[in-house]
Amino acid sequence: MGQELFHALDKEQDIVDRDWRPFVEECDQMQGIQVISTIDDAWGGFASSYLETLRDEYPKQCIWVWGIQNPLLDSAREKRRLRLTNAAFSISEIAQQATTLVPLSLPEHRFPRSVKLDCGSPWHTSALLSAAMESATLPSRLLPRGGVQRVSLDDISQIVNTTGTRTLAGQRMGLGPNDAELEGVDGFDIDLLGISRVEKDDLDGMKRTFGKFILSRGEGEDLGVKDDDEKEARPRIGDPVLKRFPMLDSYPDIFPNETGQESICLQTAIFTDQSISTRMKTLKNQVTWAVGVDEREQLANSLAEIGDAYHDDWSSGSDSGEDD
């Protein structure tokens, strides 16, 4: 439905020329494009068609896509299956066009005590996700000063996607200077990776990290990441950002420990790791049987191809020395 809507509107009047190009013409030096869209409903189809048009117009431009998914815990079985199917189609299409695609959804497990969230409130849920998105890309909006260089959207993409084939990335977030062990992604206690949830036992051993970008917003001590001895990851991390996350009057009271504060400390991690392969396999098994025969093979092959890029084998930089 979303794809049909886009093509119908685009046929009447070129959407990119009408709605997008005026903004581009005002840019002296466009750094990249950021797209925020739900991906588990018709807007996923609309966004994928829009991105295809943008990619044709700007073949070398950096494009970030934040794919929002609705909570599934309280959904009826049929609606849950429909949303998963929509998300699978959206990921399959968007991953081919985006430089970096970050699917986001609320954790299905309990939140840490530092977060008090009403999952049924769009005000609360959008506040949490926007804090993660805004913080992760903050270095791309800072002006260089004091010897600190700006890290562009394209730089962050190259840090996370070291081979150019892993466009799908996950995100985690931690609150306060002591919530996250910055030597690895596992210390971040809020998992926002919005691909089909899998059991923890299925992820045991899936520790291979291909790339990650960690940003700390706080004050005082140097929270920079030093992974020189970590052979499994290939991070390139800039200096920590000392600017805290501002708490505006319109921001909901979802961080009880920070009530009355004008700003808070938080950390975010954008990463690609081996667990994405398992998640994509699970997603494929969950949805391909529910689509038509004509679409089933193409969708299954596309999801499998995305997941294959996250296997921990010799092609991903292993030093095992095996030739097959």
Side-chain angles (χ1 to χ4, degrees), residues 172 193 203 206 271 273-280:
R172 294 189 178 106
L193 178 52
L203 296 180
M206 297 289 181
F271 64 91
D273 67 11
Q274 191 180 354
S275 70
I276 296 179
S277 175
T278 301
R279 294 176 187 267
M280 293 304 297

Side-chain angles (χ1 to χ4, degrees), residues 87-89 91-93 276-277 280-281 283-285 287-288 297-308:
F89 275 112
I91 291 172
S92 172
E93 297 286 339
I276 296 179
S277 175
M280 293 304 297
K281 182 179 179 180
L283 180 62
K284 184 185 73 170
N285 293 337
V287 303
T288 50
E297 183 177 359
Q298 181 178 355
L299 178 61
N301 290 339
S302 178
L303 296 178
E305 184 177 348
I306 294 174
D308 286 344

